[in-house]
Amino acid sequence: MSFKFFFLSHFCSLSFRVHTISTTEALYTLTFTDRVMGRYVTVRIPGDGKVLALCEVEVYGYHAPTEENLAIQGKAAQSSLYSFYGPYYAIDGSRDSKFDDGSKVMSCSVTNHESNPWWRLTLPKTHKVFSVKITNRYKFHERLDGAEIRIGDSLVNNGADNPRFALITSMTASETAEFKVPNGMDGRYVYIGVPGRKEYLTLCEVEVFGSALD
């Protein structure tokens, strides 16, 4: 007996076949991990004179991501404080990269010159993060070379032990670069650090995009 799983769009006129069950056994639970987007889940047996019996159907997912910057909802911290350039300047909503041009506008976070400097964002709850955008300083742009973005739910080693989301190989001056993981990565903490060397860590803006996990 063949079952077919469909996901239907909001308009109900379009449906996408997720999986076909060619055969199954009694008292057996099947798991499907295909990722699709939709609102309605339909299980049907094509043809006439069929009987459909389902003892349990469980569906797991998350809300579709929006263009909302999650970072402004969070709390920021960093390994040390250079002058008064605190961690919150990296999530103030401004991509201004000239924080020391005499305008008295403080828009970038800066740590001291130290080994393994880090900056961390704590989101209100665990999210599936798909994209992180970082704006670099207008000079000394090479200071971000080799920095890591890590995302997870652990605060061990200040978050540096979480899985790596992306590696920043290099960024140009004042550049806003986007780093993506196609299927997303789950976590509450977004960690950015420069491992293995003594450096200043300067972040003029950090933007995070994803979906909350219930």
Side-chain angles (χ1 to χ4, degrees):
M1 184 176 293
S2 176
F3 294 81
K4 294 186 178 180
F5 280 77
F6 288 84
F7 246 106
L8 275 66
S9 72
H10 291 281
F11 301 102
C12 298
S13 60
L14 296 175
S15 62
F16 306 94
R17 188 171 67 188
V18 177
H19 205 87
T20 298
I21 305 173
S22 57
T23 184
T24 186
E25 300 176 7
L27 304 177
Y28 188 71
T29 299
L30 297 171
T31 301
F32 308 98
T33 59
D34 308 71
R35 293 180 174 89
V36 294
M37 183 179 297
R39 184 180 180 186
Y40 304 98
V41 181
T42 300
V43 183
R44 72 182 183 90
I45 304 176
D48 299 325
K50 307 289 186 177
V51 176
L52 176 63
L54 299 170
C55 293
E56 185 72 10
V57 177
E58 301 175 28
V59 180
Y60 303 89
Y62 47 84
H63 297 291
T66 67
E67 293 302 314
E68 179 184 10
N69 176 17
L70 303 172
I72 60 176
Q73 305 173 13
K75 297 181 178 180
Q78 61 189 38
S79 54
S80 62
L81 180 65
Y82 175 78
S83 186
F84 42 74
Y85 299 105
Y88 281 92
Y89 291 126
I91 54 171
D92 61 0
S94 171
R95 292 182 178 178
D96 183 8
S97 62
K98 295 184 178 182
F99 72 93
D100 58 353
D101 62 354
S103 65
K104 297 184 180 179
V105 175
M106 297 170 288
S107 59
C108 303
S109 67
V110 190
T111 69
N112 288 324
H113 190 244
E114 60 185 358
S115 297
N116 307 309
W118 57 266
W119 179 95
R120 186 182 65 237
L121 173 71
T122 301
L123 296 171
K125 61 189 298 186
T126 299
H127 284 68
K128 182 173 286 293
V129 177
F130 293 94
S131 169
V132 176
K133 293 182 180 180
I134 295 177
T135 301
N136 200 4
R137 186 183 175 184
Y138 80 106
K139 62 181 180 179
F140 304 121
H141 59 87
E142 69 281 355
R143 288 177 175 174
L144 273 181
D145 292 358
E148 296 180 325
I149 305 172
R150 292 180 175 268
I151 293 177
D153 287 324
S154 172
L155 281 177
V156 175
N157 198 14
N158 297 305
D161 288 353
N162 284 315
R164 189 163 76 178
F165 184 85
L167 174 67
I168 304 173
T169 55
S170 65
M171 289 180 62
T172 59
S174 299
E175 178 186 2
T176 298
E178 184 174 17
F179 304 90
K180 296 181 178 181
V181 169
N183 292 324
M185 187 174 288
D186 296 353
R188 185 182 180 190
Y189 304 108
V190 179
Y191 169 97
I192 301 171
V194 181
R197 75 173 190 266
K198 196 171 184 179
E199 188 60 274
Y200 293 98
L201 176 59
T202 302
L203 298 166
C204 290
E205 191 67 15
V206 177
E207 302 165 65
V208 178
F209 302 90
S211 301
L213 297 181
D214 295 331

